[in-house]
């Protein structure tokens, strides 16, 4: 076990050195709808890199740590990582949690066993290719209760992500904590302007807190996914944390 751990650390160090001297950069986004094109911050994050950076947003709506792999989407990512060109550094940004929560048939995972095991397997896969991985905790939902407090049912999944990342010596960004604090400070009225569509006049004062509610196709006002304003806000948050987490990426940012 100790030898395996030391080998993993050596691979991470080698990947970091390779990135420092890389002549090109590819960034691959892996996650769910809150990162995906049209409904998340991923495309806005890609736009924060310089034009020469190849930023691929492969996040897909409705996916969990289970279904992203089961549907073959992870195979596509691994194929890209195995075909890395000489002089190119690869960075994978991964965010899951929303669809790993209970109540989502074919997607939900057990928080104590399956979810951390799935994350660890992703880490092992990326490390073996020489690419670098950054784990992000799930973006907050924006549902306030009657007392004006922001729900954070995703926090246990965030804490598990941070724990697994630390155990495997992989850098992480606690987007859940950062986004939750920012949205709480904004308050419900301002936070509602981050949504995909304007708030209907007859929308409820508070959003539903159940994991299955408030999705893009749900008649309840969507307090999970992002419009242009939300994408800009949270992509700026991630970009700022990213250059702190991996300082060598700063030269690739606009």
């Amino acid at each position: 076990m100790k030898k395996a751990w030391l080998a993993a650390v050596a691979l991470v160090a080698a990947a970091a050195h390779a990135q420092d001297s890389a002549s090109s950069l590819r960034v691959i986004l892996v996650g769910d709808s809150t990162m995906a094109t049209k409904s998340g911050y991923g495309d806005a994050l890609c736009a924060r890199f310089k034009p020469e950076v190849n930023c691929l947003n492969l996040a897909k709506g409705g996916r969990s740590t289970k279904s992203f792999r089961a549907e073959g989407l992870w195979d596509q990512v691994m194929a890209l990582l195995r075909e890395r060109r000489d002089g190119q550094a690869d960075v994978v940004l991964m965010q899951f949690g929303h669809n790993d929560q209970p109540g989502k048939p074919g997607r939900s995972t057990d928080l104590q066993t399956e979810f951390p095991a799935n994350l660890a397997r992703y880490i092992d896969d990326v490390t073996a290719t020489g690419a670098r991985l950054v784990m992000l905790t799930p973006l907050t939902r924006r549902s306030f209760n009657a007392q004006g407090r922001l729900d954070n049912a995703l926090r246990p999944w965030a804490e598990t992500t941070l724990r697994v990342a630390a155990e495997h010596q992989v850098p992480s960004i606690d987007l859940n904590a950062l986004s939750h604090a920012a949205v709480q400070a904004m308050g419900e009225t301002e936070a509602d302007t981050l949504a995909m569509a304007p708030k209907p006049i007859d929308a409820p004062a508070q959003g539903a807190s159940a994991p299955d509610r408030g999705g893009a196709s749900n008649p309840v006002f969507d307090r999970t996914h992002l419009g242009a304003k939300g994408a800009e806000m949270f992509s700026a948050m991630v970009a700022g944390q990213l250059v702190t987490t991996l300082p060598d990426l700063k030269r690739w940012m606009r």
Side-chain angles (χ1 to χ4, degrees):
M1 181 66 72
K2 184 177 181 181
K3 288 183 177 179
W5 180 83
L6 290 173
V9 171
L11 282 172
V12 171
H17 176 73
Q19 182 165 305
D20 287 340
S21 57
S23 58
S24 63
L25 174 67
R26 179 171 58 185
V27 178
I28 301 176
L29 309 187
V30 174
D32 55 37
S33 58
T34 60
M35 181 186 265
T37 297
K38 295 183 179 180
S39 59
Y41 63 83
D43 286 1
L45 177 60
C46 282
R48 293 183 180 276
F49 288 92
K50 291 180 178 178
E52 61 265 32
V53 175
N54 183 14
C55 187
L56 305 175
N57 188 359
L58 302 185
K60 297 291 182 181
R63 273 56 175 193
S64 67
T65 59
K66 175 193 289 185
S67 62
F68 196 90
R69 186 184 291 273
E71 294 176 15
L73 298 171
W74 184 243
D75 290 339
Q76 298 173 25
V77 176
M78 290 300 294
L80 289 170
L81 296 179
R82 293 187 183 111
E83 297 170 358
R84 184 167 62 253
R85 299 177 303 179
D86 289 342
Q88 174 180 285
D90 279 338
V91 175
V92 178
L93 307 181
M94 178 175 289
Q95 178 206 284
F96 284 113
H98 281 258
N99 300 297
D100 285 87
Q101 288 188 303
K104 308 212 171 183
R107 297 176 285 167
S108 297
T109 59
D110 182 82
L111 177 61
Q112 303 303 321
T113 58
E114 194 175 9
F115 182 65
N118 289 349
L119 292 179
R121 188 178 173 194
Y122 283 123
I123 291 171
D124 289 343
D125 286 350
V126 175
T127 301
T129 69
R132 298 181 76 181
L133 176 64
V134 178
M135 306 293 291
L136 285 76
T137 60
L139 182 73
T140 189
R141 296 188 181 95
R142 304 181 303 280
S143 297
F144 288 76
N145 63 24
Q147 290 72 46
R149 299 299 303 173
L150 185 64
D151 172 65
N152 197 6
L154 285 161
R155 192 61 201 166
W157 282 261
E159 292 175 352
T160 298
T161 300
L162 295 173
R163 175 177 60 79
V164 173
E167 289 173 351
H168 290 262
Q169 302 292 306
V170 170
S172 60
I173 294 172
D174 195 354
L175 179 59
N176 178 262
L178 293 168
S179 59
H180 183 273
V183 172
Q184 178 66 67
M186 295 173 74
E188 181 179 319
T189 300
E190 181 63 20
D192 282 348
T193 67
L194 306 178
M196 291 179 69
K199 182 180 176 182
I201 295 175
D202 58 349
Q206 285 81 35
S209 60
D212 270 337
R213 300 293 299 277
S217 62
N218 195 291
V220 175
F221 179 58
D222 184 352
R223 292 185 168 95
T224 296
H225 302 101
L226 306 173
K229 181 177 178 180
E232 285 300 308
M233 173 179 167
F234 294 118
S235 67
M237 185 178 290
V238 173
Q241 289 297 307
L242 193 56
V243 296
T244 299
T245 304
L246 300 179
D248 45 300
L249 288 186
K250 187 173 182 179
R251 67 184 174 110
W252 300 105
M253 308 296 291
R254 293 181 186 270

